[in-house]
């Protein structure tokens, strides 16, 4: 609709824009032909010098803010975008302008076009754009792209490399975004994921702060649009008083005014050079079973297991506790399978154009890397029975299947055949002989045959018949020439040819993994049971993970992966626990553990004994033995937790909860000592003072709470940040704090009364007990070119180095200061 309500414009894929008269019963006015299909429309007009259009799309006097006139249809223009083309149309006569000169000063009521002067700095893969309504005061531009990413910029975004803030939630291309009428929320729609996300903004709060500070619309219009150093210096002068810009002021750097060079600083010759020290992977805690199945296998022997977590493929030696890795992947690994030789492994990843990696688990060497066919991810992989072929299933809408060569010196890594799989979700894959495999799907089973010579794949659907009532197939495995599928209701079907002929049920819930074993097959279910079956599908042995010895009991017994060799079964559970079962004796042994579900944030090292503690959204506080790489203790904290820190003497560990509570546990036995409600929003940053007398707690309510550690009562509240608290550091004398927030502020505080120390110069020579803030004098250059300041999430000074972790999954080592 035009902003004054008189016209409705409709853009179609027939390469035309149609216009209708709203006030005359939506009568057809006319159409404009374009060179390509239309993607975006905005209405606008050219205003006089003393006029502006307010957020209600009313033309008002720039000085008084009062309405000056109504808008006539003869003044209206449309700007229309088709791929790579921006066209301007005069609304009253539906004529296309041959030159943009008449509208170069046009004010648009909205800006949703991805082409034009104010958005020329955006990435080329942008699909949808929206400018907020009160952009004269708080100028925000939102964009979405085909990678499922939302980005916020200062409006206008003229130069490429402008600072941005990135948000992720959608799993596929975002087809549309828009700000609500009051700018209080941003709404996004995912195309293939069919999801509508509503994002809360702080634009309203920012506008109130600007009003309170006396900044009018005209003053706000001067915001940096290029992200260059000169503009940054101007913004620093504007914001040096300590008022942050909020998340949407991505090119503003309010912390710069608080950075003061130490008076004794003399630049060394090696300043800015690469550090002398290097990092190498020592051990990886955790495994990915919560959304993967049958991705845990024995390797060469019963002392070696192969699995995946994050973007790492891992071989773990149970006998000596060592690991070997592949780091060849660029994104998280979803699938993992072991070759019949026991040491060749194939892993598949998630991603827009995912890779499949073939690697040797004895050396870690990459044998082949396959990509270019699958899209979105590779959720299942398997070797043919003779090990000469790799079968893979993708996450595209058709769940396409591919066959790759795996013969060293022959067709290794070559795409041999490909085909559409099914529109149903594929949950399992199983190989038969040298040239056949089957996929288990949500509503069907499909049997494939490979013609390697012709490079062809043929398939036939399985026939369930009357006995097989549940058609949700969750897992699959061949038992000799016959397929066995595990069903969502706990049943197991034995297939003769492509007919389901035998139905067995011993699981109470979904059978999520089936693998071959010396007796026949072994199955693992969501009910926590692991069952060994004979070749005739008779139960040989049954294990119940809910009843095993406490030392081996998983946090959640939901079995996601099983594998068997000799008299052993290795089991992976939803809770990232890996447990080994001995078939003859029934004994269970805890092998490895990890976190599961949601995100993992809280981490700290014990100051004395070398142990490490972590806490996450799974509500588990875990203490790890840093030398033996084992879980020493675990406590349920009763909810999501995002922060953790040890008392300075190591006697206690404090946990910051998503609920805004702080809980304190005795290190010995992880016994809860304190539970205090502090904040309305979740806690991200916590630190004990070096003298142990105060606990500083930073919350997403923008405050820092100072607690006396004798009673854990609140002594003071540090108020002054414009956004949520992200990082804290104490001075070595426990008298001062420095902190960062989501608005990119660096502020200083007195620990005695919680008041802000407004003179950063007075603390330029302060000695800090730790350095974990990502904003400050010694960490000025940790951000890459064009960074918005939010892509580095964590930092820590270690000896002569600074180590950071970023949004891209990288750990970076710098020479300190940076």
């Amino acid at each position: 609709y035009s902003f004054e309500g008189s016209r409705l414009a409709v853009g179609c894929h027939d390469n035309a824009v149609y216009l209708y008269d709203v006030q005359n019963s939506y009568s057809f006015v006319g159409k404009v032909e374009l060179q390509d299909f239309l993607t975006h429309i905005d209405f606008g007009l050219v205003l006089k010098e003393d006029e502006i259009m307010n957020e209600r799309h009313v033309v008002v006097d720039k000085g008084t803010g009062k309405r000056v006139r109504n808008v006539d249809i003869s003044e209206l223009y449309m700007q229309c975008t088709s791929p790579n083309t921006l066209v301007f149309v005069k609304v009253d006569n539906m004529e296309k302008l041959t030159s943009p000169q008449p509208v170069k000063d046009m004010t648009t009521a909205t800006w949703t076009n991805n082409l034009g002067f104010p958005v020329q700095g955006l990435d080329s893969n942008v699909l949808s754009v929206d400018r907020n309504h009160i952009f004269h005061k708080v100028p925000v531009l939102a964009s979405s792209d085909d990678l499922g990413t939302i980005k916020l910029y200062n409006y206008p975004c003229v130069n490429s490399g402008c600072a941005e803030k990135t948000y992720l939630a959608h799993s596929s291309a975002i087809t549309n975004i828009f700000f609500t009428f009051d700018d209080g929320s941003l709404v996004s729609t995912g195309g293939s994921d069919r999801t509508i996300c509503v994002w809360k903004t702080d634009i309203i709060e920012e506008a109130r702060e600007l009003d309170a500070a006396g900044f009018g619309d005209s003053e706000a219009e001067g915001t940096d649009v290029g992200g260059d150093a000169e503009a940054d210096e101007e913004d620093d002068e504007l914001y040096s008083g300590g008022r942050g810009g909020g998340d949407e002021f991505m090119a503003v750097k309010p912390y710069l005014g608080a950075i003061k060079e130490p008076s004794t600083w003399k630049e060394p010759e090696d300043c800015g050079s690469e550090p002398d020290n290097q990092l190498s992977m020592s051990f990886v805690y955790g495994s990915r079973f919560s959304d993967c199945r049958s991705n845990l296998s024995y390797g060469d022997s019963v002392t070696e297991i192969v699995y995946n977590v994050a973007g790492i493929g891992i071989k773990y030696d149970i006998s000596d506790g060592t690991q070997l890795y592949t780091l060849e992947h660029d994104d998280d690994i979803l699938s993992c399978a072991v070759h019949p030789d026991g040491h060749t492994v194939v892993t598949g990843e998630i991603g827009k154009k995912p890779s499949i990696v073939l690697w040797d688990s004895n050396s870690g060497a990459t044998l082949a890397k396959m990509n270019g066919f699958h899209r979105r991810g590779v959720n299942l992989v398997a070797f043919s029975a003779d090990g000469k072929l790799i079968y893979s299933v993708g996450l595209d809408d058709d769940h396409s299947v591919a066959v790759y060569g795996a013969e060293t010196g022959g067709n290794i890594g070559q795409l041999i055949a490909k085909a559409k799989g099914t529109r149903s979700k594929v949950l399992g894959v199983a190989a038969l002989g040298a040239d056949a495999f089957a996929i288990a799907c949500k509503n069907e089973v499909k049997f494939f045959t490979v013609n390697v010579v012709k490079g062809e794949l043929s398939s036939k659907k399985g026939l369930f018949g009357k006995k097989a009532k549940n058609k949700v197939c969750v897992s699959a495995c061949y038992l000799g020439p016959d397929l066995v599928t595990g069903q969502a209701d706990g049943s197991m079907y034995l297939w003769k040819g492509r007919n389901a002929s035998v139905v067995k049920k011993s699981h109470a819930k979904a059978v999520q993994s089936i693998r071959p074993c010396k007796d026949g097959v072994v199955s693992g279910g969501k009910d926590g049971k692991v069952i060994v079956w004979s070749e005739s599908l008779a139960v040989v042995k049954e294990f119940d993970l809910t009843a095993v010895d406490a030392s081996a009991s998983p946090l959640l017994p939901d079995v996601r992966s099983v594998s068997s060799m000799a008299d052993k079964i290795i089991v992976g559970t939803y809770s990232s626990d890996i447990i080994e079962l001995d078939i003859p004796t029934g004994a269970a042994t805890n092998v490895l553990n990890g976190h599961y579900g949601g995100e993992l944030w809280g981490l700290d090292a014990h100051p004395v004994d070398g142990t490490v503690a972590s806490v996450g959204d799974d509500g588990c506080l875990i203490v790890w033995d840093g030398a033996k790489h084992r879980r020493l203790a675990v406590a349920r904290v009763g909810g999501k937790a995002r922060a953790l820190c040890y008392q300075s003497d190591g006697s206690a560990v404090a946990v910051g909860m998503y609920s805004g509570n702080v809980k304190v546990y005795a290190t010995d036995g992880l016994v809860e000592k304190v539970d205090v409600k502090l904040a309305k929003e979740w806690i991200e940053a916590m630190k004990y003072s070096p003298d142990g007398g105060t606990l500083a707690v930073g919350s997403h309510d923008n405050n820092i709470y100072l607690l006396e550690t004798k009673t854990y009562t609140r002594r003071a509240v540090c108020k002054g940040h414009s956004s949520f608290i992200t990082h804290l550091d104490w001075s070595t004398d426990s008298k001062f704090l420095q902190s960062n927030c989501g608005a990119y502020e660096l502020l200083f505080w007195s620990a005695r009364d919680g008041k802000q120390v407004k003179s950063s110069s007075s603390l330029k020579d302060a000695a800090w007990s730790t350095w974990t803030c990502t904003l400050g004098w010694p960490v000025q250059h940790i951000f890459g070119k064009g960074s918005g300041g939010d892509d580095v999430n964590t930092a820590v000074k270690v000896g002569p180095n600074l180590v950071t972790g970023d949004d891209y999954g990288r750990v970076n080592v710098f020479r300190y200061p940076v």
Side-chain angles (χ1 to χ4, degrees):
Y1 284 93
S2 59
F3 58 89
E4 33 62 85
S6 66
R7 294 291 185 268
L8 171 66
V10 180
C12 300
H13 271 234
D14 63 358
N15 303 355
V17 183
Y18 299 83
L19 204 64
Y20 298 87
D21 188 337
V22 176
Q23 297 169 349
N24 191 21
S25 302
Y26 286 86
S27 60
F28 178 66
V29 175
K31 74 173 183 177
V32 175
E33 300 283 350
L34 302 175
Q35 294 180 350
D36 208 337
F37 61 87
L38 187 120
T39 56
H40 305 90
I41 304 173
D42 291 303
F43 284 91
L45 77 165
V46 178
L47 296 172
K48 298 176 183 178
E49 186 175 347
D50 59 349
E51 296 175 339
I52 62 170
M53 184 185 295
N54 66 15
E55 62 268 24
R56 296 181 179 86
H57 306 150
V58 175
V59 178
V60 299
D61 183 89
K62 184 181 292 187
T64 64
K66 294 182 178 180
R67 180 195 290 264
V68 292
R69 62 185 176 86
N70 294 323
V71 176
D72 188 76
I73 190 71
S74 63
E75 299 180 81
L76 290 183
Y77 293 91
M78 287 191 298
Q79 59 178 20
C80 308
T81 303
S82 57
N84 303 315
T85 306
L86 181 61
V87 176
F88 298 94
V89 178
K90 202 164 189 316
V91 172
D92 59 349
N93 57 16
M94 294 295 287
E95 288 187 1
K96 289 190 289 186
L97 301 187
T98 58
S99 167
Q101 190 66 23
V103 292
K104 66 181 179 67
D105 296 322
M106 180 175 66
T107 297
T108 59
T110 58
W111 193 287
T112 62
N113 283 272
N114 61 351
L115 300 176
F117 172 78
V119 295
Q120 57 186 310
L122 298 182
D123 295 335
S124 59
N125 63 341
V126 166
L127 297 179
S128 183
V129 173
D130 196 26
R131 179 190 66 196
N132 69 317
H133 300 287
I134 57 170
F135 70 95
H136 293 295
K137 183 171 294 183
V138 183
V140 185
L141 181 72
S143 75
S144 66
D145 59 32
D146 55 7
L147 300 177
T149 303
I150 293 175
K151 295 182 179 180
L152 295 185
Y153 301 85
N154 268 355
Y155 177 86
C157 178
V158 178
N159 297 332
S160 61
C162 282
E164 64 192 35
K165 191 171 184 66
T166 302
Y167 300 87
L168 295 171
H170 291 282
S171 63
S172 61
I174 299 174
T175 54
N176 212 338
I177 56 173
F178 67 87
F179 286 99
T180 53
F181 75 100
D182 61 351
D183 288 339
S185 299
L186 179 75
V187 183
S188 59
T189 58
S192 297
D193 64 21
R194 300 176 297 280
T195 302
I196 301 171
C197 293
V198 181
W199 307 80
K200 183 179 182 295
T201 77
D202 57 2
I203 294 176
I204 297 173
E205 290 79 4
E206 179 62 26
R208 290 170 181 164
E209 289 185 20
L210 287 169
D211 290 338
F215 290 92
D217 289 353
S218 60
E219 293 168 293
E221 287 181 78
T223 307
D224 168 33
V225 299
D228 55 67
E230 291 79 10
D232 288 339
E233 291 174 1
E234 293 172 2
D235 289 330
D236 174 43
E237 293 174 4
L238 178 63
Y239 291 101
S240 60
R243 183 188 56 81
D247 289 348
E248 60 278 10
F249 279 92
M250 290 306 304
V252 174
K253 299 178 180 179
Y255 64 90
L256 291 178
I259 291 179
K260 304 299 178 184
E261 181 180 295
S263 57
T264 58
W265 168 249
K266 292 183 180 180
E267 186 172 308
E269 293 183 1
D270 60 0
C271 185
S273 63
E274 290 187 2
D276 298 327
N277 306 93
Q278 294 183 343
L279 295 177
S280 60
M281 190 79 77
S282 174
F283 198 83
V284 179
Y285 297 86
S287 49
R288 183 166 183 161
F289 301 127
S290 61
D291 57 354
C292 302
R293 293 180 176 86
S294 298
N295 57 320
L296 169 66
S297 303
Y298 278 108
D300 274 333
S301 69
V302 291
T303 64
E304 295 179 355
I305 57 174
V306 179
Y307 58 99
N308 60 279
V309 68
I312 310 167
I314 302 172
K315 182 189 77 172
Y316 176 70
D317 192 320
I318 299 173
S319 63
D320 60 14
T322 59
Q323 291 178 333
L324 189 143
Y325 321 96
T326 179
L327 300 175
E328 192 69 34
H329 283 278
D330 301 315
D331 215 322
D332 288 357
I333 298 174
L334 295 179
S335 51
C336 178
V338 176
H339 191 280
D341 65 15
H343 60 84
T344 304
V345 182
V346 63
T347 43
E349 69 183 22
I350 196 171
K352 185 179 180 181
K353 296 180 179 179
S355 295
I356 299 171
V357 177
L358 187 68
W359 56 285
D360 187 337
S361 67
N362 286 337
S363 64
T366 299
L367 305 177
K369 190 169 185 177
M370 299 149 272
N371 49 35
F373 172 67
H374 286 297
R375 293 292 183 269
R376 300 182 192 165
V378 180
N379 69 317
L380 294 168
V381 290
F383 284 99
S384 60
D386 62 2
K388 294 182 179 181
L389 300 176
I390 297 168
Y391 307 129
S392 59
V393 182
L395 288 176
D396 57 287
D397 290 342
D398 294 314
H399 299 98
S400 299
V401 296
V403 181
Y404 292 92
E407 287 189 274
T408 303
N411 59 4
I412 187 169
Q414 294 180 13
L415 179 61
I416 293 173
K418 59 184 179 180
K420 291 183 178 180
T422 172
R423 302 293 286 189
S424 298
K425 188 175 183 180
V426 183
L427 302 173
V429 61
L432 173 66
D435 59 359
F437 65 97
I439 57 174
C441 315
K442 187 175 180 180
N443 294 305
E444 62 182 340
V445 170
K446 292 190 79 172
F447 297 87
F448 287 84
T449 302
V450 185
N451 187 321
V452 176
V453 176
K454 293 184 178 181
E456 295 177 348
L457 269 174
S458 58
S459 66
K460 292 183 178 181
K461 287 187 178 182
L463 305 175
F464 285 91
K466 295 181 179 180
K467 292 182 180 180
K469 295 181 179 180
N470 186 284
K471 296 184 179 181
V472 180
C473 304
V474 184
S475 53
C477 175
Y478 271 96
L479 178 58
D482 302 323
L483 182 70
V484 179
T485 59
Q487 307 303 122
D489 66 349
S491 301
M492 290 177 53
Y493 296 166
L494 180 67
W495 298 73
K496 295 293 185 180
R498 58 191 185 102
N499 296 285
S501 63
V502 178
V503 177
K504 296 284 185 175
K505 186 170 183 179
S506 287
H507 288 282
K509 295 182 179 180
V511 182
Q512 303 196 117
S513 182
I514 310 175
R515 306 289 282 278
C517 68
K518 69 174 188 175
D519 293 301
V521 294
V522 57
S523 62
K526 193 174 183 179
D527 56 1
K529 288 185 179 181
V530 176
I531 302 176
V532 179
W533 304 78
S534 69
E535 293 182 357
S536 60
L537 281 192
V539 175
V540 175
K541 187 90 173 186
E542 184 174 309
F543 301 85
D544 187 349
L545 295 188
T546 64
V548 298
D549 185 80
S551 63
S553 180
L555 293 174
L556 292 176
D558 180 354
V559 178
R560 305 286 294 189
S561 187
V562 294
S563 178
S564 182
M565 178 178 284
D567 288 328
K568 301 289 186 180
I569 301 171
I570 198 76
V571 180
T573 70
Y574 183 94
S575 52
S576 294
D577 295 305
I578 297 179
I579 297 161
E580 188 171 63
L581 304 173
D582 185 80
I583 297 175
T585 66
T589 305
N590 191 318
V591 177
L592 287 171
N593 310 101
H595 284 278
Y596 66 94
E599 299 182 10
L600 180 61
W601 286 55
L603 181 70
D604 199 14
H606 192 282
V608 179
D609 65 13
T611 59
V612 176
S614 57
V615 71
D617 287 357
D618 59 2
C620 293
L621 168 61
I622 300 179
V623 178
W624 308 93
D625 186 325
K628 296 181 180 179
H629 307 307
R630 295 294 180 119
R631 186 180 70 187
L632 293 177
V634 58
R636 296 280 196 176
V637 298
K640 293 167 62 174
R642 291 282 176 90
L644 175 151
C645 65
Y646 273 107
Q647 171 63 286
S648 54
D649 62 1
S651 62
V653 59
V655 176
M657 304 295 292
Y658 202 83
S659 61
N661 288 51
V662 170
K663 295 188 177 185
V664 181
Y665 293 80
T667 304
D668 185 11
L670 293 186
V671 178
E672 184 180 311
K673 297 167 56 180
V674 175
D675 182 1
V676 57
K677 176 70 175 180
L678 274 187
K680 293 181 179 179
E681 299 197 42
W682 62 279
I683 294 164
E684 182 173 344
M686 303 173 70
K687 271 196 179 65
Y688 282 97
S689 59
D691 64 10
T694 307
L695 174 63
V697 180
S699 169
H700 271 231
D701 64 5
N702 305 357
N703 296 326
I704 301 171
Y705 300 86
L706 302 181
L707 305 181
E708 297 275 6
T709 57
K710 289 184 179 180
T711 59
Y712 285 93
T713 54
R714 190 170 72 184
R715 184 177 73 236
V717 181
C718 305
K719 295 184 177 182
H721 272 296
S722 302
S723 189
F724 54 90
I725 312 303
T726 57
H727 303 89
L728 297 169
D729 288 302
W730 282 93
S731 61
T732 54
D733 58 10
S734 300
K735 293 181 179 180
F736 300 100
L737 274 167
Q738 65 174 0
S739 56
N740 295 157
C741 75
Y744 314 107
E745 296 168 341
L746 169 62
L747 301 184
F748 301 91
W749 313 91
S750 167
R752 180 176 57 83
D753 54 13
K755 291 184 178 180
Q756 184 179 348
V757 179
K758 296 188 176 182
S759 173
S760 58
S761 298
S762 64
L763 292 175
K764 66 180 181 179
D765 294 324
W768 298 98
S769 176
T770 58
W771 193 286
T772 60
C773 284
T774 58
L775 307 173
W777 182 82
V779 294
Q780 296 177 72
H781 300 292
I782 62 175
F783 301 101
K785 185 178 181 181
S787 167
D790 63 335
D791 51 0
V792 176
N793 303 310
T794 182
V796 61
K797 180 183 180 297
V798 184
N801 301 319
L802 183 83
V803 184
T804 66
D806 62 30
D807 279 346
Y808 312 105
R810 299 178 305 205
V811 176
N812 311 287
V813 183
F814 300 91
R815 190 182 297 276
Y816 183 88
V818 187

